[in-house]
Amino acid sequence: MSRPHPVQVIAVTGGKGGVGKSNVSVNLGIALSQMGRRVVLLDADLGLANIDVLLGITANRNLSDVLAGECDLRDVLVSGPGGIRIVPASSGTQRMTQLSAMEHAGLINAFSELGDQVDVLIVDTAAGISESVVSFLRASQELLLVVCDEPTSITDAYALIKLMNRDYGTNRFRILANQVRNEQEGKHLFGKLTRVTERFLDVALQYVGMVPYDEAVRKAVQRQRAVLDVYPRAKASLAIKALAEKVDSWPLPSSPRGHLEFFVERLVGTGT
Ligand SMILES: Nc1ncnc2c1ncn2[C@@H]1O[C@H](COP(=O)(O)OP(=O)(O)O)[C@@H](O)[C@H]1O
Ligand SMILES: [Mg+2]
């Protein structure tokens, strides 16, 4: 058995619904997988447009079954496009902070077993800043905020940054502009967000680039396929591949805190 190694845990979030979190999560996962990383995607959204709907996947089991001790995490994993593996959404993910001691221990076991078979865990969060969303954010090392050029997206992203900073001291956020027309518009959007955060908060926002508005994404969604899978040469796909190159260069957690079981401990509220 290989030694436990650090796993990069990236929460894809953004406050507002419909900005493109799930599409970014899936396609970033596929792009990283194509680069040789072993990717697991955790669907932490019970909403209607979740990953199984997005990809036309039927999940027979989910995290609730693991919590109930009825199966292992590997029974729950579903194969997705491009070699990614998916943990389907379940009501279990909505009550991570309220687990019984036994469920808690079971979950840590489940994830530590998975630990040596995964390099990157991507968490696709629900919209908003509910307790459940926040528990995933505070457990993840990297927060990737997807924003688009709409006032509500910017104010929701700001509210999320403010809450994480005030309550958990998070001061590093990665910003991805989605559904913009070009590079310039992406940078402009980032500028708008930094202006409000710099004025009121002590946080560092890091711009990671943009994904253009691209009809290919909509067409792929209609076909219940990932855009990177069906339109790999589309502008949005190329942008996601460029994003994956950047993500791959982010520093890996060097402490044991980077191991998957510590993610779960923070998730369920015992870790710090
Ligand atoms: N870059 C893009 N270009 C065009 N349409 C997009 C893009 N990103 C997302 N969309 C559209 O926005 C919709 C919502 O995306 P989704 O990933 O489900 O958002 P969220 O997970 O934030 O709610 C999708 O149905 C998709 O058609
Ligand atoms: Mg979504």
Side-chain angles (χ1 to χ4, degrees), residues 16-23 178-179 211-214 217-218 221:
K16 192 179 179 295
V19 289
K21 296 179 292 296
S22 298
N23 275 282
N178 187 28
Q179 309 194 41
V211 177
Y213 178 89
D214 188 341
V217 177
R218 292 193 177 267
V221 169

Side-chain angles (χ1 to χ4, degrees), residues 19-20 24 146-149 176-180 189 210-213:
V19 289
V24 167
V146 182
V147 287
C148 57
D149 200 4
L176 177 71
N178 187 28
Q179 309 194 41
V180 292
L189 171 55
M210 63 93 194
V211 177
Y213 178 89

Side-chain angles (χ1 to χ4, degrees), residues 8-210:
Q8 195 168 38
V9 183
I10 306 167
V12 179
T13 187
K16 192 179 179 295
V19 289
K21 296 179 292 296
S22 298
N23 275 282
V24 167
S25 300
V26 166
N27 290 290
L28 174 62
I30 294 173
L32 286 167
S33 173
Q34 287 171 348
M35 292 165 63
R37 303 289 164 270
R38 296 167 302 172
V39 178
V40 170
L41 181 58
L42 174 60
D43 186 355
D45 186 3
L46 251 193
L48 287 177
N50 55 14
I51 307 265
D52 27 340
V53 177
L54 205 58
L55 294 176
I57 284 170
T58 329
N60 299 317
R61 290 176 175 277
N62 60 46
L63 220 45
S64 307
D65 302 308
V66 180
L67 292 177
E70 280 163 17
C71 65
D72 290 336
L73 194 55
R74 68 174 75 89
D75 304 321
V76 168
L77 288 171
V78 179
S79 302
I84 63 172
R85 287 171 297 163
I86 299 160
V87 182
S90 74
S91 55
T93 57
Q94 306 298 300
R95 53 180 189 95
M96 282 302 179
T97 49
Q98 300 142 26
L99 300 182
S100 72
M102 226 164 90
E103 289 175 323
H104 177 171
L107 195 68
I108 291 176
N109 266 337
F111 273 90
S112 44
E113 269 173 38
L114 186 68
D116 53 5
Q117 302 156 38
V118 52
D119 301 311
V120 187
L121 176 69
I122 298 176
V123 184
D124 178 24
T125 68
I129 40 177
S130 64
E131 194 190 345
S132 160
V133 169
V134 169
S135 69
F136 282 104
L137 299 187
R138 49 181 285 269
S140 304
Q141 297 127 17
E142 298 283 358
L143 304 189
L144 179 61
L145 266 72
V146 182
V147 287
C148 57
D149 200 4
E150 286 168 21
T152 46
S153 172
I154 295 171
T155 50
D156 281 11
Y158 176 73
L160 188 152
I161 292 168
K162 184 176 164 190
L163 177 97
M164 291 309 293
N165 182 246
R166 187 196 60 199
D167 293 356
Y168 303 102
T170 311
N171 53 18
R172 207 165 49 94
F173 300 85
R174 314 266 191 185
I175 309 296
L176 177 71
N178 187 28
Q179 309 194 41
V180 292
R181 263 178 302 192
N182 50 43
E183 191 58 58
Q184 196 190 357
E185 211 175 277
K187 285 191 178 133
H188 184 68
L189 171 55
F190 177 67
K192 281 189 202 170
L193 190 58
T194 32
R195 270 193 296 282
V196 278
T197 51
E198 271 172 5
R199 222 171 122 197
F200 301 109
L201 307 170
D202 183 24
V203 294
L205 303 190
Q206 284 157 327
Y207 182 59
V208 293
M210 63 93 194

